[in-house]
Amino acid sequence: MLSDLRFALRQLLKTPGFTVVALITLALGIGANTAIFSVVDAVLLRPLPYPESDRIVQIWEAPETGGRSQASGGVFMDWQDHTTQLESVAAIHMIDDNLTGEGEPVRISGAEVSADYLRVLRVNPMLGRGFLPQDDAPSGNRHVVTLSYELWQSRFQGNPNIVGRAIRLDGWSYTVIGVLAPNALVNSGVDFLIPATIRADEWKQPRNYNYICFVIGRLKPGATIRQAQEELATVKRALNASYPKFKQPWSVTIQTLHESMFGNTRPYVLTLLAAVGLVLLIACANVANLLLAKGSSRQGEIAVRVALGASAGRIVRQLLTESLLLAVIGGAAGVVLGKYAIPALVSFTGIKVGEGIEIGIDARVLGFALATTVATGLLFGIIPALSVARPDLNQHLKEGARGSTTASRKRMQSLLIVSETVLTVVLLVSAGLLLRSFIKVLDTNPGFNRENVLTFELTQPGRKAPTNGHRARFIRDILQKIEQIPGVAGAGMASSTPMSRPVGFFDDVASREDRPDTPSNFHTGFDAVAGGFFQVVGIPLRRGRLFTKADNEEKAPRVIIINNTVARRLFGDDNPLGHQLHILDATWEIVGIVDDVRQHQLDVQPRPHVYVPQVFFPWFTSIVVRTRLPPLTLAGQVRKAVQAVDPDQPIANLGTLEQSVGKTLQARRIMLTLLSVFAVAALVLACIGIYGVMAYAVAQRTREMGIRIALGAGSGQVIELVLRDGMKLVLVGLGLGVVGSLGAGLLLSSQLYRVHWADPLVLTLVAFALLAAALLACWLPARRATRVDPVIALRAE
């Protein structure tokens, strides 16, 4: 074996040009696959970093129309009280609080959790203790807090005596009872935990949308997801009379926590893995073609070895040793390349896999790279090895015999070129469909003016703004201060700005008061607004009026503004103005109709949406500021204006409306960019492969070309001869590739927007691009063939 390796190494060193090209090709292919697989491994294959994480599940309410919904506080209590299949159940309600008294005021993100939360995950604090049942009970001390390791380090300098110390969150004093270990929670951005106290607060206990939360649980040993789901569905049916009317047809669905966190990313990462796998196959085809060409020049050597008694198996072993050695060197280079590519890939894609989960080269990824390397070496090495293992001794041992290409070897080279072309067409069409879809998304009218709008969020402490009226006046004062800044054209407030919240974050059931038979499953989004929100964001008023200052008083009549979708679906051809709408447990008079807004993503159709004065729903605050200057240049002055109203008031998530829209396009942009890179790489590799085969074919036919030219063939005829041979293979590959791309387009159809998966424009452009590139790859060797000197060519024979 060592002698085979030494001989293989000498063979590679004898042909440095071939070796360098093959190694670069393999390193790029294996490196790209290694980098993408590291993401797949972290997102889809690796278990969550908790003990027996496969038993941790997330529980959802399941609307009858499909999908899933967070649970309300009362529903969580039902599940917790009646389950026998789950050993523990916990609720998590995400919150944002202002941390003051520890340097500059800052808004931090945390969670209200029930007492069993850390027990479900089997996480123990690094310092202090976790929550006890009495901390979460009606008579317990709710003002206790557990800090994340990251917050402990950044705001409290890792003070080892932090346990027992008091900190202020939203003006309330909380006693620190524990500090979590680094990366203890997969949920990124959770800085602190406080008790949810659902059983202590009546307003959290209804089964509607008063208090929504994520619910997780840990299955008992031997229990299954199906058993737990059937049990909770039975509980739901037994308690159905106590549920709101619209929820009575609902059920329960359960999935693993891993699936809940990463299930939505599966189509994207698997698409990228498939694409980069195709690039590796094209690279293998290229190297196989190089080895076939190299094998022709070694036919004499192989014939001598056979004549001296070497068996076909011995020859194949030697040639596979050379292929595997080439693959191992290329694979090692690919792993190094992948190691440095992974941080760039993660940074570019913005992939977040949760705390404690790292994307990088570990034993699993190395195992994948090794398996890929070996498979690659066998894949591109076996065909050339078999093709030269049984040489024609009479032909190749003749004195002066030249390397020649057998018919079978020609067929194999042709098959490889066709295969490369097919795979290239599939990648090009896939990238083309995504590009056309992306352009369509960019051209979509969002229903608002995203230019020159600064956005940020505030959290108002309950102690400083104890009533709805206090909160409304607080925002009114801030808006007035901001509007006094030079360069500000207007300011407004909403519960959320467009493109900043997931679907269903602010959602409720709406119905017409004058029609009791209105369907109870009409869901609509809602926002509370104040100031010049509609003018600042550029949402046109179509009928009626906008809110006035008088509408935003605590004792003002309840009025509401609806969008076109609500008007069309609930009122049809009737005029909605003056009608009564029931939503948010109250009745409202419709005073205005505004245009539809794509509230969540550009590629998601506008949904029903209503707007109420801020004083009636003042719990979430996002500020919008229209500027005459680049928005971020006024960020410092805006911050000072807010602190002029309240020196302890921090602002969070400062950015622009343009950036919010851009973030919703991130997944599409990432997929398009990476797939385009892979498609271009495939096209380049395919053209290199076509060029290499045609150049080799021309070199093998030097004598024939010389005779043709000597007999009077012109340059055009020689070029036509070479082009015909090369383009015939490309056309066959193009035809098969179009068929294959239809299947790929169908798989991508869920990611396309206003583009058919068999879009004729994309297919046509890809065909022209490929034919043009292939024509150039064939023309260069053809042009060289016209320069053959007949005298020199014939003399060489």
Side-chain angles (χ1 to χ4, degrees):
M1 191 63 182
L2 288 177
S3 62
D4 287 344
L5 284 172
R6 285 193 295 268
F7 186 78
L9 183 59
R10 286 199 301 271
Q11 287 295 322
L12 294 180
L13 294 176
K14 280 174 61 178
T15 53
F18 158 82
T19 303
V20 170
V21 171
L23 287 178
I24 291 175
T25 302
L26 292 173
L28 290 174
I30 294 174
N33 273 269
T34 300
I36 296 296
F37 178 79
S38 68
V39 175
V40 173
D41 182 53
V43 172
L44 299 181
L45 304 180
R46 197 180 305 172
L48 296 177
Y50 300 124
E52 298 180 282
S53 63
D54 58 314
R55 289 170 49 200
I56 304 176
V57 297
Q58 186 148 359
I59 315 168
W60 307 86
E61 293 192 79
E64 79 279 13
T65 54
R68 60 193 189 185
S69 174
Q70 294 181 52
S72 57
V75 174
F76 159 71
M77 292 168 60
D78 292 341
W79 293 344
Q80 190 179 47
D81 291 342
H82 295 91
T83 182
T84 62
Q85 299 297 313
L86 298 163
E87 65 180 31
S88 51
V89 183
I92 308 101
H93 176 78
M94 306 306 296
I95 58 172
D96 295 305
D97 281 353
N98 296 332
L99 175 65
T100 55
E102 304 292 337
E104 183 179 349
V106 62
R107 193 177 83 158
I108 57 177
S109 297
E112 294 178 349
V113 300
S114 58
D116 284 336
Y117 175 61
L118 294 181
R119 278 185 283 279
V120 170
L121 301 177
R122 292 189 178 169
V123 169
N124 294 313
M126 181 181 70
L127 298 177
R129 65 171 177 87
F131 296 120
L132 301 174
Q134 53 264 36
D135 295 326
D136 196 37
S139 59
N141 177 20
R142 66 173 62 196
H143 288 126
V144 292
V145 62
T146 298
L147 305 180
S148 72
Y149 177 87
E150 292 71 26
L151 181 67
W152 177 54
Q153 289 290 325
S154 62
R155 300 293 296 190
F156 301 97
Q157 293 75 49
N159 180 1
N161 300 315
I162 190 68
V163 175
R165 177 178 163 182
I167 65 172
R168 299 193 73 79
L169 296 173
D170 269 7
W172 294 95
S173 177
Y174 283 80
T175 301
V176 178
I177 60 170
V179 176
L180 298 175
N183 302 319
L185 303 178
V186 170
N187 308 67
S188 57
V190 176
D191 294 317
F192 66 93
L193 303 174
I194 60 176
T197 61
I198 295 174
R199 296 183 184 273
D201 298 322
E202 255 184 67
W203 69 272
K204 297 178 181 179
Q205 297 171 11
R207 296 174 177 87
N208 54 18
Y209 287 117
N210 275 20
Y211 186 82
I212 60 173
C213 49
F214 296 100
V215 178
I216 63 173
R218 180 176 284 273
L219 292 168
K220 288 184 177 179
T224 66
I225 287 179
R226 182 176 178 179
Q227 291 170 338
Q229 184 168 301
E230 289 177 350
E231 177 185 60
L232 293 183
T234 302
V235 169
K236 164 66 171 56
R237 288 191 293 270
L239 301 174
N240 224 14
S242 59
Y243 277 68
K245 182 181 177 183
F246 75 91
K247 276 192 176 183
Q248 289 181 2
W250 290 23
S251 187
V252 179
T253 185
I254 301 180
Q255 59 187 165
T256 65
L257 183 60
H258 188 282
E259 175 69 18
S260 176
M261 293 181 62
F262 301 126
N264 291 337
T265 65
R266 179 177 285 108
Y268 294 100
V269 295
L270 291 183
T271 299
L272 292 177
L273 186 62
V276 79
L278 294 182
V279 173
L280 182 59
L281 287 176
I282 294 172
C284 287
N286 260 2
V287 177
N289 259 327
L290 288 172
L291 287 173
L292 282 170
K294 185 182 178 186
S296 296
S297 65
R298 296 180 63 184
Q299 286 174 336
E301 170 209 332
I302 301 298
V304 171
R305 292 166 66 93
V306 171
L308 293 176
S311 66
R314 182 67 181 82
I315 299 298
V316 169
R317 191 182 81 180
Q318 176 60 54
L319 295 177
L320 282 181
T321 299
E322 294 176 22
S323 300
L324 287 171
L325 178 60
L326 188 65
V328 167
I329 298 174
V335 169
V336 174
L337 184 65
K339 176 180 173 62
Y340 289 100
I342 288 171
L345 176 66
V346 172
S347 175
F348 172 71
T349 58
I351 294 172
K352 295 186 183 301
V353 294
E355 304 296 339
I357 302 176
E358 296 182 359
I359 301 178
I361 303 292
D362 59 11
R364 294 161 64 97
V365 176
L366 281 176
F368 169 82
L370 178 61
T372 302
T373 297
V374 173
T376 299
L378 293 174
L379 186 62
F380 71 70
I382 190 67
I383 294 174
L386 293 175
S387 70
V388 299
R390 296 182 180 277
D392 186 335
L393 299 184
N394 289 330
Q395 178 185 353
H396 297 301
L397 292 179
K398 290 179 182 178
E399 185 178 355
R402 294 170 54 85
S404 62
T405 304
T406 65
S408 62
R409 193 169 302 152
K410 284 183 180 179
R411 286 195 297 271
M412 185 53 62
Q413 288 180 318
S414 299
L415 179 60
L416 290 171
I417 289 298
V418 170
S419 301
E420 286 186 67
T421 307
V422 170
L423 298 178
T424 301
V425 171
V426 171
L427 280 175
L428 286 172
V429 170
S430 299
L433 290 172
L434 290 178
L435 175 60
R436 187 155 163 73
S437 177
F438 189 71
I439 293 172
K440 292 278 189 181
V441 172
L442 291 179
D443 287 342
T444 299
N445 178 14
F448 57 87
N449 184 357
R450 71 186 84 171
E451 297 179 358
N452 287 343
V453 178
L454 186 72
T455 65
F456 60 91
E457 297 176 359
L458 301 175
T459 298
Q460 301 169 66
R463 299 195 71 178
K464 289 189 175 182
T467 69
N468 291 10
H470 282 96
R471 290 172 181 269
R473 287 188 290 275
F474 176 73
I475 293 302
R476 189 180 305 146
D477 292 344
I478 285 179
L479 295 181
Q480 288 176 353
K481 283 288 185 182
I482 291 175
E483 287 176 337
Q484 295 171 8
I485 299 174
V488 170
M493 168 269 167
S495 303
S496 64
T497 56
M499 312 282 176
S500 65
R501 300 285 188 187
V503 176
F505 191 87
F506 294 116
D507 215 8
D508 202 3
V509 176
S511 60
R512 289 178 59 165
E513 276 294 303
D514 59 336
R515 292 190 179 177
D517 59 341
T518 300
S520 62
N521 60 353
F522 183 82
H523 285 256
T524 176
F526 66 89
D527 273 304
V529 300
F533 171 76
F534 294 103
Q535 299 92 328
V536 169
V537 178
I539 302 176
L541 175 70
R542 290 308 176 195
R543 302 174 72 175
R545 67 174 177 86
L546 299 176
F547 296 135
T548 64
K549 289 184 179 179
D551 294 324
N552 213 12
E553 298 292 341
E554 283 185 282
K555 296 182 179 180
R558 291 177 182 263
V559 294
I560 195 169
I561 294 173
I562 64 176
N563 72 351
N564 282 331
T565 299
V566 175
R568 183 176 63 255
R569 294 190 187 177
L570 281 186
F571 296 92
D573 296 330
D574 295 344
N575 181 4
L577 298 180
H579 278 268
Q580 305 289 315
L581 191 71
H582 188 87
I583 190 173
L584 299 175
D585 293 327
T587 300
W588 311 73
E589 179 187 351
I590 300 172
V591 298
I593 305 173
V594 295
D595 265 358
D596 289 337
V597 169
R598 293 180 184 262
Q599 197 74 21
H600 306 287
Q601 290 180 199
L602 288 176
D603 54 354
V604 174
Q605 291 296 326
R607 301 176 68 246
H609 207 81
V610 301
Y611 304 88
V612 301
Q614 180 226 355
V615 71
F616 297 111
F617 188 81
W619 318 115
F620 297 86
T621 304
S622 297
I623 304 295
V624 291
V625 183
R626 179 160 292 281
T627 66
R628 301 185 185 93
L629 303 171
L632 293 176
T633 62
L634 298 179
Q637 297 177 63
V638 167
R639 193 183 301 273
K640 290 179 181 177
V642 171
Q643 293 182 343
V645 178
D646 182 357
D648 289 334
Q649 178 63 60
I651 66 177
N653 298 329
L654 182 70
T656 67
L657 200 53
E658 188 79 46
Q659 290 172 337
S660 296
V661 174
K663 288 177 182 177
T664 68
L665 299 173
Q666 185 178 24
R668 285 187 176 276
R669 184 179 290 110
I670 290 166
M671 178 67 71
L672 170 62
T673 302
L674 292 178
L675 202 58
S676 297
V677 169
F678 298 151
V680 171
L683 181 61
V684 171
L685 287 173
C687 288
I688 291 174
I690 294 169
Y691 170 81
V693 169
M694 297 313 299
Y696 177 72
V698 168
Q700 290 292 308
R701 297 170 67 183
T702 300
R703 181 172 179 272
E704 174 194 342
M705 298 298 178
I707 292 174
R708 287 179 179 272
I709 294 172
L711 293 175
S715 298
Q717 292 174 301
V718 174
I719 289 176
E720 180 185 355
L721 176 66
V722 177
L723 289 182
R724 185 170 63 244
D725 289 346
M727 295 306 292
K728 180 170 62 178
L729 300 176
V730 173
L731 288 171
V732 173
L734 178 60
L736 295 174
V738 168
V739 175
S741 66
L742 296 179
L746 192 58
L747 291 175
L748 286 173
S749 58
S750 63
Q751 302 173 40
L752 301 179
Y753 176 71
R754 291 168 51 194
V755 174
H756 193 267
W757 52 269
D759 187 74
L761 179 61
V762 171
L763 293 174
T764 302
L765 291 176
V766 166
F768 276 113
L770 181 65
L771 289 173
L775 196 62
L776 177 62
C778 292
W779 179 78
L780 292 174
R783 183 167 172 268
R784 183 180 301 169
T786 63
R787 298 178 178 178
V788 173
D789 187 332
V791 176
I792 295 176
L794 295 176
R795 182 184 300 157
E797 296 296 327

